[in-house]
Amino acid sequence: MIQIDKNDIAKRFMRYVQIDTQSDPRSGTHPSTKKQKDLSKILVDELKQMEITDAEMDVYGYVYATIPSNTEKNVPAICFCSHVDTAPDCSGANVKPILHENYDGEDIFLPEDKTQVLSPVVYPYLKTQIGGDIITASGKTLLGADDKSGVAAIMEAADYLMKHPEIKHGKIKILFTPDEEIGEGTAKLDMQKLGAQFGYTLDGGEAGSLEDETFSADGARIIINGVISHPGYAKNKLVNALKVGAEILHCLPTNEWAPEATEKKEGFVHPVRFEGIAERATLEFILRDFNDDKLKQHGERLKKIAEDVVNHYKGASVEFSIYEQYRNMKKILDKNPQVVVYAAEAINRAGLEVTTESIRGGTDGSRLSYMGLPCPNIFTGMHGIHSKLEWIGVNDMAKSAETIVHLCMIWEEKS
Ligand SMILES: [Zn+2]
């Protein structure tokens, strides 16, 4: 019987969310914001207090730590990972977490902005938390459950393992990354130093959810070279690159192939930036699909649309390029099925039903899987992420920590 102290994990979580760790996509540095290290430093200190002696933060803000094996068996080294940064979409400064004890199932009005109402009508999942404790922000900021709930779950599980040496496990690696929210969570990660064979990110939603599939993702760039001429004497000569770019955008379907028109397993193409001058314009796109062949077809279809438009304009030309962003982790996980199977068993042992899900996005786990660390994503209980209505149930977060402890035991048992 694994008994995670709910008070303890709630306090731990509330301590972490009060530290501003917002990342910044425009900074160009690693970490993108220095303040992320404020939390990482605290985590190292707390790990050391647990007598995890090798805990350290590197210059880029990554935290590495090892719980040594306490078994004679040869168990693969397992990594648990979560990100310390919060999303740039919503303020993460002066977060004031509020613990709502013994939730009664009614609307929760956030005190600093009464228009922010957490309602079971919008979040039906709230009903599963009746009688339990919920943590929200105060109305002016996000909460930061994404992903400080994952950080808290890993820290709580580490503390539990250190206090219960009778629980047998192999080598456990702890990893906290900066800059996940800006797609750079693994940019400066040292895989050698990490030294793990399999991993789990703690960065998922509802209790019991296990995500083993993400999008495959490419970026595409279309550069249009127009034909420039003095506008007073431009008749039959000038081709305005901005107008050609707008025409390409106009040719994109609106009832399919777009994020606003797709769901579940459907992929899409999505323009994210359009800039330039009359002479030359650049369009940036993101391309997403669960299937790599289909992803490739999306790129070809986009290229054809661009060329067809530009070919109508004498003297204009188009440059088309595609670059890889990340790939669906499922391809890697299918080759290492035990990683997902053990996670499902751990969730069951924590008394929960497993829901396997596909993420219409990417995680650190997608990149880690292709960097040699097969890495599905496990729930932490977070909801309403990247918004002022972000919230988490304390019971769910404790179950997440419990799942980690079970996973450590299962890897030892099966080895
Ligand atoms: Zn996250």
Side-chain angles (χ1 to χ4, degrees):
M1 192 68 184
I2 311 295
Q3 285 271 331
I4 300 294
D5 186 329
K6 285 176 197 165
N7 267 330
D8 205 60
I9 196 167
K11 269 196 227 145
R12 185 184 288 286
F13 171 75
M14 289 169 75
R15 201 160 66 231
Y16 298 161
V17 297
Q18 290 179 61
I19 300 155
D20 180 5
T21 56
Q22 190 178 51
S23 48
D24 175 6
R26 288 154 305 172
S27 103
T29 59
H30 295 280
S32 68
T33 52
K34 266 195 193 149
K35 57 191 178 186
Q36 295 180 66
K37 286 186 171 178
D38 296 345
L39 176 56
S40 299
K41 238 177 264 163
I42 290 170
L43 296 173
V44 168
D45 287 345
E46 291 187 2
L47 286 163
K48 286 195 167 151
Q49 278 162 28
M50 294 175 198
E51 286 170 23
I52 299 176
T53 50
D54 75 340
E56 62 161 318
M57 175 179 74
D58 72 5
V59 287
Y60 306 114
Y62 289 78
V63 174
Y64 300 86
T66 316
I67 305 176
S69 167
N70 63 3
T71 175
E72 269 136 49
K73 287 187 182 176
N74 193 8
V75 187
I78 304 301
C79 169
F80 294 96
C81 165
S82 50
H83 60 94
V84 296
D85 66 317
T86 60
D89 328 6
C90 183
S91 172
N94 299 313
V95 173
K96 293 176 201 149
I98 301 169
L99 181 72
H100 307 264
E101 284 176 282
N102 197 8
Y103 175 58
D104 59 5
E106 298 295 313
D107 288 359
I108 297 175
F109 293 81
L110 301 186
E112 288 186 347
D113 180 354
K114 291 276 164 59
T115 66
Q116 299 292 330
V117 186
L118 193 60
S119 161
V121 179
V122 185
Y123 293 98
Y125 187 83
L126 268 171
K127 290 187 194 134
T128 66
Q129 305 295 309
I130 292 173
D133 299 345
I134 286 174
I135 301 172
T136 66
S138 59
K140 284 193 170 155
T141 65
L142 49 64
L143 174 62
D146 179 10
D147 185 22
K148 286 161 185 167
S149 57
V151 174
I154 293 172
M155 292 293 284
E156 197 67 27
D159 191 42
Y160 192 92
L161 289 170
M162 293 306 286
K163 283 179 180 153
H164 292 84
E166 74 280 6
I167 294 177
K168 295 292 168 211
H169 57 80
K171 192 193 271 184
I172 306 300
K173 303 296 288 198
I174 293 167
L175 172 67
F176 298 123
T177 61
D179 294 332
E180 191 268 356
E181 297 289 2
I182 59 167
E184 291 176 7
T186 56
K188 295 286 176 186
L189 175 62
D190 185 340
M191 293 301 279
Q192 208 75 27
K193 188 168 176 176
L194 182 63
Q197 280 156 280
F198 302 103
Y200 298 92
T201 48
L202 277 291
D203 198 9
E206 295 186 5
S209 77
L210 172 58
E211 295 162 326
D212 63 349
E213 181 162 39
T214 58
F215 270 149
S216 278
D218 280 346
R221 184 173 298 125
I222 298 172
I223 298 172
I224 302 143
N225 297 299
V227 179
I228 209 64
S229 166
H230 186 291
Y233 307 93
K235 190 166 182 184
N236 298 327
K237 277 187 270 183
L238 185 135
V239 178
N240 187 322
L242 293 169
K243 289 185 178 172
V244 177
E247 196 177 323
I248 292 171
L249 292 179
H250 188 70
C251 286
L252 299 176
T254 51
N255 58 349
E256 52 129 1
W257 215 45
E260 61 272 31
T262 49
E263 60 177 356
K264 294 174 184 157
K265 286 295 181 77
E266 298 166 321
F268 59 74
V269 163
H270 178 45
V272 290
R273 194 185 190 103
F274 180 18
E275 62 184 10
I277 52 175
E279 190 176 7
R280 184 179 159 96
T282 304
L283 293 156
E284 303 267 3
F285 295 81
I286 61 169
L287 284 55
R288 299 288 185 265
D289 208 289
F290 288 103
N291 179 299
D292 289 358
D293 293 331
K294 282 192 187 160
L295 184 69
K296 200 165 162 242
Q297 288 163 20
H298 295 325
E300 285 159 3
R301 182 176 172 191
L302 182 63
K303 183 167 185 245
K304 179 145 194 322
I305 288 172
E307 286 172 350
D308 284 352
V309 168
V310 175
N311 284 342
H312 280 99
Y313 295 95
K314 197 164 162 258
S317 67
V318 62
E319 298 162 39
F320 185 90
S321 56
I322 290 236
Y323 50 95
E324 182 177 316
Q325 291 180 319
Y326 56 84
R327 286 291 174 263
N328 187 346
M329 59 163 75
K330 191 157 175 54
K331 228 182 188 172
I332 304 294
L333 292 174
D334 283 348
K335 289 180 198 153
N336 303 276
Q338 75 280 24
V339 183
V340 174
V341 171
Y342 294 174
E345 180 159 352
I347 290 170
N348 283 149
R349 286 192 195 179
L352 299 168
E353 239 169 81
V354 178
T355 45
T356 312
E357 287 173 22
S358 306
I359 315 172
R360 287 178 65 79
T363 65
D364 270 354
S366 340
R367 289 196 177 84
L368 288 169
S369 293
Y370 283 86
M371 287 164 82
L373 190 78
C375 192
N377 187 34
I378 296 176
F379 75 93
T380 70
M382 64 173 94
H383 295 272
I385 58 171
H386 303 191
S387 81
K388 292 173 184 170
L389 290 175
E390 192 178 10
W391 65 277
I392 192 160
V394 174
N395 286 336
D396 289 358
M397 192 163 43
K399 282 291 174 193
S400 176
E402 188 183 331
T403 299
I404 296 171
V405 175
H406 282 300
L407 251 173
C408 296
M409 296 165 77
I410 291 167
W411 274 97
E412 199 270 347
E413 278 170 35
K414 311 263 182 184
S415 293

